[in-house]
Amino acid sequence: MESVRLLYVSKIKNIDSNLKTNLIEILDEAVDFNYRHDITGVLYYGHGYFVQCLEGPKSLIDDLFYNKIVKDERHINCEILYYIECKDKFFSQWSMKFSPINQNITDFFMKYHLEEFNPYLLTAETVEKFVAVLAGEPEYDVQAYVS
C-alpha cells in the first residue's frame, strides 16, 4: 500500500475561544483515530496557525484530509503545502505529536528571511526543511503549553 506524507496549514477560526480545550480535543481525536489507522504525525500550533503533518496509507490520508480535516469548523483556510509519497516515516513514534512555537521554529523562519511565523509563507524550497525541523522537535504536553 502506498504511503504519503501530507503537510497542511490553517488558521484557528476563533482565537478568543478556549484554545486549551480545542487543542486537547483535536489531539485526543487525532491520537485515537491515527492509532487505529496506522497514521502518524505532528500537530504544531503557534500565533493562531495550525500546521499538521500526517503520514500513512494514501487512501486513508486523502479521506481524512478531504472528508474530516477540511470540514472541521475549528479552523479556516486549510491549505496543503506538501504532499509526497514516502517510504520512511518521520513521526513513526507518535500517532500525533504536539509541538508549540519555540526558538527552533523562530530561528528557522528568521534563517529563511520569513520575518514572522506564518506557515503560509513556506515555499517549495523551505517546506521540506520545515518538516525536518518538526520531526526533530521533542513532544510537548499541551496542558503545560496553554495553561
Side-chain angles (χ1 to χ4, degrees), residues 25-78:
E25 285 175 0
I26 291 167
L27 286 168
D28 284 347
E29 291 168 17
V31 167
D32 180 55
F33 181 87
N34 294 358
Y35 178 78
R36 290 184 287 116
H37 295 92
D38 194 30
I39 294 173
T40 59
V42 61
L43 175 66
Y44 176 81
Y45 177 80
H47 300 299
Y49 297 101
F50 290 109
V51 178
Q52 188 170 31
C53 188
L54 299 166
E55 302 169 323
K58 180 182 181 348
S59 60
L60 288 173
I61 295 294
D62 291 352
D63 185 60
L64 175 62
F65 181 76
Y66 291 107
N67 293 313
K68 186 168 183 186
I69 292 171
V70 169
K71 295 176 181 178
D72 190 324
E73 294 186 2
R74 294 173 285 199
H75 63 160
I76 57 173
N77 302 332
C78 196

Side-chain angles (χ1 to χ4, degrees), residues 84-100:
I84 64 164
E85 185 176 334
C86 65
K87 291 187 173 127
D88 299 322
K89 289 186 174 184
F90 285 166
F91 306 102
S92 61
Q93 298 176 29
W94 300 280
S95 53
M96 187 50 58
K97 176 170 84 165
F98 173 71
S99 184

Side-chain angles (χ1 to χ4, degrees), residues 12 14 17-27 74:
I12 194 166
N14 184 358
S17 68
N18 190 338
L19 177 62
K20 182 176 182 178
T21 300
N22 281 342
L23 284 174
I24 290 169
E25 285 175 0
I26 291 167
L27 286 168
R74 294 173 285 199

Side-chain angles (χ1 to χ4, degrees), residues 1-27:
M1 184 180 292
E2 181 183 13
S3 288
V4 296
R5 180 175 303 120
L6 176 148
L7 180 129
Y8 77 88
V9 298
S10 63
K11 189 101 170 110
I12 194 166
K13 188 172 184 177
N14 184 358
I15 203 148
D16 295 329
S17 68
N18 190 338
L19 177 62
K20 182 176 182 178
T21 300
N22 281 342
L23 284 174
I24 290 169
E25 285 175 0
I26 291 167
L27 286 168

